Amino acid sequence: MNPSLRTRIRAGDVAAFGQAFEEHAGAVYRHAIRVSADWSVAEDVVSLTFFEAWRVRHRLRPDGDSVLPWLLGIATNVLRNLRRTMRRHRAVMDRLPDQQVPDFADDVVGRIQEREELAAAKAALARLRQPYRDVFTLCVWAGLDYASAAEALGIPVGTVRSRLSRARDRLRSLAEAELKSRGAAAHSRFPAAQTIHGRDR
């Protein structure tokens, strides 16, 4: 019987690792873009995930089918580390005196403003505790089943179930509140719109 992809990767088979990249880089990227809502961050996450996967390939369990849960577990840790790094960077920048620097905000907004719902979901998701956020993004956005998510996060299947249930309930109320607040903010920016339309009728 031919060795499994997992076994070959554990053994350092470059071709097997390349196959894993071809099959799953897209899924890792989609997971990263949903969590970060930033194309450039997502691209970095893909690179760092596969770099780290190769480095820790000996930790991959030989049993199981797809290597995607393992890769998404690594991507989840990469995203977590990037968030910490960005928070530290912002803290340092906030302590610097004001100065004229290039503003890339419009470029970033232009790339991600396609979906107001994604922004609201991301804001709501950020307010979840990390363990619930990780389970939600892997099960709902990345489409892993309970067992695969448990493997990715190194926790029991029962814990995945309970955390996902709580995360869904909490996110529903948070996202609704976030969308309402965004709608109110938009209305306050254009208060004369209804009056103008009323005069045209």
Side-chain angles (χ1 to χ4, degrees), residues 83-185:
R83 277 194 295 267
R84 280 198 290 262
T85 300
M86 290 165 65
R87 280 198 299 267
R88 287 195 295 268
H89 176 72
R90 281 195 298 267
V92 170
M93 294 301 292
D94 288 344
R95 290 196 293 270
L96 293 176
D98 290 339
Q99 53 185 313
Q100 293 296 322
V101 296
D103 184 1
F104 301 108
D106 288 342
D107 179 55
V108 174
V109 170
R111 294 169 72 188
I112 67 174
Q113 70 181 120
E114 308 159 32
R115 297 168 183 73
E116 184 70 13
E117 291 82 3
L118 177 60
K122 181 176 180 286
L125 198 64
R127 296 171 62 186
L128 276 184
R129 288 175 54 204
Q130 187 74 50
Y132 298 99
R133 188 188 313 153
D134 291 344
V135 166
F136 181 86
T137 56
L138 289 175
C139 289
V140 177
W141 281 355
L144 295 189
D145 58 27
Y146 294 138
S148 297
E151 178 189 351
L153 297 172
I155 58 177
V157 172
T159 302
V160 172
R161 290 177 184 273
S162 62
R163 286 182 184 175
L164 181 59
S165 177
R166 292 175 190 170
R168 285 180 187 277
D169 291 341
R170 181 69 176 143
L171 268 179
R172 190 175 297 112
S173 59
L174 288 174
E176 287 173 359
E178 181 67 25
L179 281 171
K180 283 181 182 176
S181 68
R182 286 170 181 269

Side-chain angles (χ1 to χ4, degrees), residues 2-17 19:
N2 292 329
S4 69
L5 185 64
R6 285 173 173 249
T7 300
R8 290 165 58 203
I9 290 174
R10 277 174 56 92
D13 187 325
V14 175
F17 194 75
Q19 179 183 338

